[in-house]
Amino acid sequence: PVTCRHLNKIYQQGHISIPALVDINLEIHQNDFVCLSGPSGSGKSTLLNLLSGLDTPTSGEIEVDGQRVDEMSRANLAEMRLHKIGFVFQAYNLIPVLSAQENVEFVMQLQGINRQERAKKSRTILKEVGLKGLENRRPGDLSGGQQQRVAVARAIVSGPSLLLADEPTANLDSQTAESLMQLLRTMNKEHGTTFLFSTHDKLVMDYSKRLVKLHDGRIKSDEAQA
Amino acid sequence: PVTCRHLNKIYQQGHISIPALVDINLEIHQNDFVCLSGPSGSGKSTLLNLLSGLDTPTSGEIEVDGQRVDEMSRANLAEMRLHKIGFVFQAYNLIPVLSAQENVEFVMQLQGINRQERAKKSRTILKEVGLKGLENRRPGDLSGGQQQRVAVARAIVSGPSLLLADEPTANLDSQTAESLMQLLRTMNKEHGTTFLFSTHDKLVMDYSKRLVKLHDGRIKSDEAQA
Ligand SMILES: Nc1ncnc2c1ncn2[C@@H]1O[C@H](COP(=O)(O)OP(=O)(O)OP(=O)(O)O)[C@@H](O)[C@H]1O
Ligand SMILES: Nc1ncnc2c1ncn2[C@@H]1O[C@H](COP(=O)(O)OP(=O)(O)OP(=O)(O)O)[C@@H](O)[C@H]1O
Ligand SMILES: [Mg+2]
Ligand SMILES: [Mg+2]
């Protein structure tokens, strides 16, 4: 569960200040399935990066599982991300010299999971996102949507309690996006995983129980949906 | 105008053959506005890369404006791309150390357009894709959808006769995507630019006059639409 209080992020470009997020107050509970939408440039990626500790706020507080993310050391943040948070980057950030399977296993290796277990889990998750047979391909030899799914697989394989995903279906056709969302909804129902996605995709929004809309760095609305 | 005859692309992974495109026959006429759709991995990016000469076919013929692209030297292909073809990459491929404006001006500089003219054109096109005020930002300091629009701006600024765009709205909200498509439709109507887009976005498909559907590397259907 995640809490933001009076969160602000201002980027500096020389002497110009760019307010990317303005006074964000948000509470996400365990097992929530929340969508973050808003125009290009409205602050979605910035918010996700702050919540995971990949970036630091200008002011305000962020709590993840009761811990003040904005005050943690880099080492502790890395530890938290390793054990609690799965992150799907808007630009995937796959390691080009590793295969799809090795990319997915990477995090589990850091988590000290043994070799056989890693191989079994990574092959299973790659199959579940529709990439069976592509385990040994490097990212550069995969299509855009295939790379995106490797990024998703990597983020969910070790069953994090919180998944932050930045536009996870942007490069997927509706059928592939649909089956991915079904997989994630199952994780939410069966494992209690908390989900916060940013998206422009109505299909994804329809899967969420709550929609938070951003506009020019502010929360415009925050409503439950059927 | 573009013609493909019995076009095949087979990737080799060690001793494994991956048929990415199978017996593609396609004709695109001057001033067409064509959408290419199909599941993730169906061959859209591969086809666009072949048409622009960025990749070479395994067999078959490709003609752009009467010239055999599959037989041209690298130098001639580069020349053709410089003067005739605008290309929007699925992963943008912006130059990280150049500003948005410098990225857009890059091609014009190669085309020998003078400094003043380049500055005027690049600022205009960046304004038209909604990025006014962001000219001096580097790609790393822009949102995903802002980077995507710089990539589009770069491809269209010098008024190419053929625009090939690989999922050009994947990271855009519907409003931004809508105004981008209106800009491109205007170019099609007023300048006779030929468009071939790959997309998963129904909004983009609705702007096209013709929809080519790919499936497992083959053309499944090729139909005019209202
Ligand atoms: N490093 C940076 N330096 C300066 N400004 C930045 C930087 N990163 C982002 N911005 C600006 O902050 C604002 C929010 O960016 P952000 O990436 O969070 O938007 P977004 O909602 O994810 O957009 P998109 O849907 O296009 O991905 C944008 O106006 C962007 O230009
Ligand atoms: N360099 C490569 N080596 C081996 N296989 C490749 C290579 N590039 C692409 N492929 C394969 O060729 C097929 C077509 O890929 P392509 O990138 O054209 O798909 P796409 O339709 O653009 O998909 P997406 O919608 O996900 O972007 C895919 O199965 C992909 O894995
Ligand atoms: Mg973003
Ligand atoms: Mg592609």
Side-chain angles (χ1 to χ4, degrees), chain A residues 30 103 109 165 171 204 209 211:
Chain A
Q30 190 65 42
N103 263 283
Q109 199 166 4
N171 283 288
V204 176
K209 308 181 210 150
L211 187 60

Side-chain angles (χ1 to χ4, degrees), chain A residues 11 13 18 20 39-46 90 167 200, chain B residues 137 140-146 171:
Chain A
Y11 290 110
Q13 286 267 322
I18 298 147
S40 168
S42 54
K44 305 180 294 297
S45 297
T46 302
Q90 189 163 358
E167 298 187 34
H200 292 304
Chain B
R137 292 261 191 99
D141 296 336
L142 290 172
S143 79
Q146 290 167 344
N171 284 288

Side-chain angles (χ1 to χ4, degrees), chain A residues 13 18 38-41 90 137 141 143-146 149 167 170-173 176 200, chain B residues 13 18 38-41 90 137 141 143-146 149 167 170-173 176 200:
Chain A
Q13 286 267 322
I18 298 147
S40 168
Q90 189 163 358
R137 294 263 189 99
D141 295 337
S143 80
Q146 290 167 345
R149 284 178 276 162
E167 298 187 34
N171 283 288
L172 301 179
D173 55 283
T176 310
H200 292 304
Chain B
Q13 287 267 323
I18 297 145
S40 169
Q90 190 163 359
R137 292 261 191 99
D141 296 336
S143 79
Q146 290 167 344
R149 284 178 277 163
E167 298 188 34
N171 284 288
L172 301 179
D173 55 282
T176 309
H200 292 304

Side-chain angles (χ1 to χ4, degrees), chain A residues 31-105:
Chain A
N31 208 16
D32 268 359
F33 202 113
V34 185
C35 253
L36 190 61
S37 74
S40 168
S42 54
K44 305 180 294 297
S45 297
T46 302
L47 181 55
L48 292 173
N49 290 339
L50 290 177
L51 296 182
S52 62
L54 289 166
D55 193 5
T56 49
T58 305
S59 65
E61 304 177 357
I62 303 170
E63 261 179 38
V64 172
D65 280 359
Q67 290 187 288
R68 282 283 298 277
V69 167
D70 56 289
E71 292 183 333
M72 283 163 75
S73 68
R74 286 175 62 101
N76 286 339
L77 282 170
E79 194 68 14
M80 176 185 78
R81 277 197 297 278
L82 184 62
H83 296 291
K84 290 192 176 192
I85 300 178
F87 200 102
V88 186
F89 292 87
Q90 189 163 358
Y92 323 150
N93 292 357
L94 298 175
I95 301 170
V97 298
L98 298 184
S99 71
Q101 182 168 339
E102 288 165 341
N103 263 283
V104 172
E105 291 191 12

